[in-house]
Amino acid sequence: MSATAVLIGFAAMLAMLLASFPVAVIMVTTGVVGGLLVFGWPLVLSMGPVAWGVQNENVLTAIPLFILLGELLLRSGLADKMYTALAVWFVKLPGGLLHTNIGASALFAATSGSSVATAATIGTVSLPNLERRGYKPSRSLGSLAAGGTLGILIPPSVNLLIYGSLAETSIGQLFIAGIIPGLLLTFTFMAFIALQSIVDGGASDGEADALLPLRERFALMRHLIPPLVIFLVVMGSIYLGIATPTESAALAVVVALVFIVFEGRLSWRLLDTCFRQSAKTTGMILLIITAAFMLNVTLALGGAAQAMTQWVASFGFSATGLLMILIVFYLILGMFMDVLSMQVLTIPIALPVVTAAGIDPIWFGIFVVLMCELGMITPPVGMNLYVVQGVRTDGGPFMDVVYGAIPYAVIMILFTILLIFFPEIVLWLPRNMS
């Protein structure tokens, strides 16, 4: 299989995607047709065992568990209390409650693993307060959309699980690698909010809020215990070798249920809602992943990775130059594709190329997730933009969200470039904790 054939196939997939074909259908069709053209029926018949093997993959069992964990925290009200506990500490900083949007998003991300769930949860809790206090809509909405993207970078992350499965890379190493970049990006967002508020003379701070007495603020901090304990259970059990990522996800769900019982919020109705929503989301994700593995059979046996690697190498790009090109590529792709589609369509082709250029696959996993984050807040298909717009109550224009998110998109690009020149920001922790 030549590089030209691979590019033609990729272009055909993009064309079908723009024609609104389901992603799973696109990948299965491309894999089957490509397999028939290159190898004939024997390859196509071998895809059945591949699909069966994916559905029995132990690592992928963690996906529904982490999705269920996020649903439990969202619908039990624990996320609401977490936001309140953070707000009383951030309210007097330049930018006020906008810092709480970012901080609460980061903390919820450390338990949910989902960008959309993070944006929807924190947006639902915070927007009424922000509107009541007179915060500028574009800044409120932009901070929520950007804060939500932290859900797929700060571990545990469903998208890192998917990358690890597709790239056959250690999930534990990927989770550990996401900690420092996730925290740094969180602080960068908050620094931008503070600087923006100072430059504007506090114009974005909204109405001044009275600072609660220190004793009351410390009392509210008990609501931060559940997400912190869940994060420590997940990361601690993986790092200490007590549990696999799947087992750590199951432990986290059990811990979350204990906290929900303690809060008196456990009910059959809550469990029914959480299980149903988790099943719907999981079905969609695993269907796409299965289709991606079926496509990968054709790509692998057809030598697509080797052909693309040789083709890219013929241009003589350095590793830095290649990554700069990939930033532009993912930026454009993210304007028209959802995050999951970007991952499953590009990783099988891009990963062999970048590893041949000497780029660490763990580092590239964080790079891909950052590019997916960027796609979440770039119009016209930026999912977080629509999620945040959907939970606002004032019925304002969609462009408020877009204008508010643009500065954060620029910050993400600059942050990614920083990681390119200083890769140890990503790799230091997994190298020293392995």
mmCIF file of all heavy atoms in Angstrom, residues 338-355:
data_model
loop_
_atom_site.group_PDB
_atom_site.id
_atom_site.type_symbol
_atom_site.label_atom_id
_atom_site.label_comp_id
_atom_site.label_asym_id
_atom_site.label_seq_id
_atom_site.Cartn_x
_atom_site.Cartn_y
_atom_site.Cartn_z
ATOM 1 N N ASP A 338 -15.247 15.682 15.657
ATOM 2 C CA ASP A 338 -15.289 15.547 17.105
ATOM 3 C C ASP A 338 -14.016 14.869 17.596
ATOM 4 O O ASP A 338 -13.256 14.285 16.816
ATOM 5 C CB ASP A 338 -16.521 14.753 17.531
ATOM 6 C CG ASP A 338 -16.485 13.326 17.021
ATOM 7 O OD1 ASP A 338 -16.949 13.093 15.881
ATOM 8 O OD2 ASP A 338 -15.985 12.459 17.748
ATOM 9 N N VAL A 339 -13.794 14.929 18.896
ATOM 10 C CA VAL A 339 -12.532 14.478 19.488
ATOM 11 C C VAL A 339 -12.285 12.991 19.254
ATOM 12 O O VAL A 339 -11.193 12.581 18.858
ATOM 13 C CB VAL A 339 -12.531 14.782 21.003
ATOM 14 C CG1 VAL A 339 -11.395 14.062 21.701
ATOM 15 C CG2 VAL A 339 -12.419 16.284 21.234
ATOM 16 N N LEU A 340 -13.287 12.166 19.490
ATOM 17 C CA LEU A 340 -13.116 10.724 19.348
ATOM 18 C C LEU A 340 -12.771 10.355 17.906
ATOM 19 O O LEU A 340 -11.902 9.509 17.651
ATOM 20 C CB LEU A 340 -14.378 10.005 19.809
ATOM 21 C CG LEU A 340 -14.303 8.481 19.916
ATOM 22 C CD1 LEU A 340 -13.151 8.059 20.831
ATOM 23 C CD2 LEU A 340 -15.617 7.911 20.413
ATOM 24 N N SER A 341 -13.432 10.998 16.962
ATOM 25 C CA SER A 341 -13.146 10.739 15.544
ATOM 26 C C SER A 341 -11.715 11.131 15.205
ATOM 27 O O SER A 341 -11.021 10.418 14.470
ATOM 28 C CB SER A 341 -14.129 11.513 14.654
ATOM 29 O OG SER A 341 -15.455 11.171 14.940
ATOM 30 N N MET A 342 -11.276 12.271 15.725
ATOM 31 C CA MET A 342 -9.893 12.703 15.482
ATOM 32 C C MET A 342 -8.904 11.660 15.968
ATOM 33 O O MET A 342 -7.935 11.338 15.276
ATOM 34 C CB MET A 342 -9.628 14.041 16.192
ATOM 35 C CG MET A 342 -10.253 15.247 15.535
ATOM 36 S SD MET A 342 -10.070 16.717 16.569
ATOM 37 C CE MET A 342 -8.302 16.881 16.640
ATOM 38 N N GLN A 343 -9.152 11.140 17.148
ATOM 39 C CA GLN A 343 -8.227 10.162 17.715
ATOM 40 C C GLN A 343 -8.159 8.878 16.897
ATOM 41 O O GLN A 343 -7.084 8.443 16.493
ATOM 42 C CB GLN A 343 -8.627 9.827 19.155
ATOM 43 C CG GLN A 343 -8.210 10.864 20.177
ATOM 44 C CD GLN A 343 -8.354 10.336 21.588
ATOM 45 O OE1 GLN A 343 -9.458 10.206 22.110
ATOM 46 N NE2 GLN A 343 -7.247 10.025 22.223
ATOM 47 N N VAL A 344 -9.304 8.274 16.672
ATOM 48 C CA VAL A 344 -9.296 6.950 16.050
ATOM 49 C C VAL A 344 -8.897 6.999 14.581
ATOM 50 O O VAL A 344 -8.387 6.015 14.033
ATOM 51 C CB VAL A 344 -10.664 6.255 16.210
ATOM 52 C CG1 VAL A 344 -10.977 6.019 17.669
ATOM 53 C CG2 VAL A 344 -11.783 7.036 15.544
ATOM 54 N N LEU A 345 -9.099 8.150 13.925
ATOM 55 C CA LEU A 345 -8.725 8.248 12.517
ATOM 56 C C LEU A 345 -7.258 8.589 12.310
ATOM 57 O O LEU A 345 -6.656 8.199 11.307
ATOM 58 C CB LEU A 345 -9.598 9.299 11.812
ATOM 59 C CG LEU A 345 -11.064 8.929 11.559
ATOM 60 C CD1 LEU A 345 -11.800 10.089 10.920
ATOM 61 C CD2 LEU A 345 -11.162 7.698 10.665
ATOM 62 N N THR A 346 -6.664 9.314 13.248
ATOM 63 C CA THR A 346 -5.300 9.819 13.013
ATOM 64 C C THR A 346 -4.209 9.053 13.757
ATOM 65 O O THR A 346 -3.084 8.958 13.254
ATOM 66 C CB THR A 346 -5.196 11.301 13.407
ATOM 67 O OG1 THR A 346 -5.484 11.460 14.812
ATOM 68 C CG2 THR A 346 -6.168 12.154 12.602
ATOM 69 N N ILE A 347 -4.513 8.515 14.932
ATOM 70 C CA ILE A 347 -3.458 7.876 15.729
ATOM 71 C C ILE A 347 -2.791 6.707 15.001
ATOM 72 O O ILE A 347 -1.555 6.616 14.984
ATOM 73 C CB ILE A 347 -4.004 7.442 17.107
ATOM 74 C CG1 ILE A 347 -4.274 8.672 17.978
ATOM 75 C CG2 ILE A 347 -3.014 6.524 17.827
ATOM 76 C CD1 ILE A 347 -5.010 8.377 19.263
ATOM 77 N N PRO A 348 -3.556 5.777 14.371
ATOM 78 C CA PRO A 348 -2.889 4.656 13.702
ATOM 79 C C PRO A 348 -1.925 5.082 12.604
ATOM 80 O O PRO A 348 -0.948 4.384 12.318
ATOM 81 C CB PRO A 348 -4.062 3.854 13.116
ATOM 82 C CG PRO A 348 -5.234 4.213 13.967
ATOM 83 C CD PRO A 348 -5.023 5.652 14.322
ATOM 84 N N ILE A 349 -2.188 6.230 11.974
ATOM 85 C CA ILE A 349 -1.316 6.706 10.898
ATOM 86 C C ILE A 349 -0.201 7.592 11.438
ATOM 87 O O ILE A 349 0.958 7.480 11.032
ATOM 88 C CB ILE A 349 -2.140 7.484 9.841
ATOM 89 C CG1 ILE A 349 -3.175 6.550 9.193
ATOM 90 C CG2 ILE A 349 -1.239 8.096 8.775
ATOM 91 C CD1 ILE A 349 -4.150 7.248 8.278
ATOM 92 N N ALA A 350 -0.537 8.483 12.389
ATOM 93 C CA ALA A 350 0.441 9.460 12.873
ATOM 94 C C ALA A 350 1.464 8.852 13.823
ATOM 95 O O ALA A 350 2.643 9.242 13.795
ATOM 96 C CB ALA A 350 -0.283 10.621 13.557
ATOM 97 N N LEU A 351 1.040 7.895 14.658
ATOM 98 C CA LEU A 351 1.943 7.370 15.682
ATOM 99 C C LEU A 351 3.208 6.737 15.100
ATOM 100 O O LEU A 351 4.317 7.039 15.575
ATOM 101 C CB LEU A 351 1.201 6.375 16.579
ATOM 102 C CG LEU A 351 2.019 5.806 17.741
ATOM 103 C CD1 LEU A 351 2.431 6.916 18.706
ATOM 104 C CD2 LEU A 351 1.222 4.742 18.495
ATOM 105 N N PRO A 352 3.120 5.868 14.087
ATOM 106 C CA PRO A 352 4.363 5.306 13.532
ATOM 107 C C PRO A 352 5.288 6.367 12.935
ATOM 108 O O PRO A 352 6.510 6.231 12.997
ATOM 109 C CB PRO A 352 3.859 4.346 12.438
ATOM 110 C CG PRO A 352 2.452 4.035 12.811
ATOM 111 C CD PRO A 352 1.932 5.275 13.450
ATOM 112 N N VAL A 353 4.696 7.419 12.384
ATOM 113 C CA VAL A 353 5.501 8.483 11.778
ATOM 114 C C VAL A 353 6.284 9.228 12.843
ATOM 115 O O VAL A 353 7.495 9.474 12.700
ATOM 116 C CB VAL A 353 4.592 9.453 10.988
ATOM 117 C CG1 VAL A 353 5.408 10.636 10.461
ATOM 118 C CG2 VAL A 353 3.915 8.729 9.823
ATOM 119 N N VAL A 354 5.617 9.602 13.953
ATOM 120 C CA VAL A 354 6.299 10.393 14.981
ATOM 121 C C VAL A 354 7.296 9.546 15.772
ATOM 122 O O VAL A 354 8.347 10.044 16.188
ATOM 123 C CB VAL A 354 5.291 11.081 15.931
ATOM 124 C CG1 VAL A 354 4.407 12.057 15.169
ATOM 125 C CG2 VAL A 354 4.436 10.063 16.671
ATOM 126 N N THR A 355 6.972 8.269 16.006
ATOM 127 C CA THR A 355 7.936 7.424 16.716
ATOM 128 C C THR A 355 9.180 7.180 15.866
ATOM 129 O O THR A 355 10.292 7.082 16.404
ATOM 130 C CB THR A 355 7.300 6.074 17.099
ATOM 131 O OG1 THR A 355 6.684 5.482 15.951
ATOM 132 C CG2 THR A 355 6.257 6.261 18.185
#
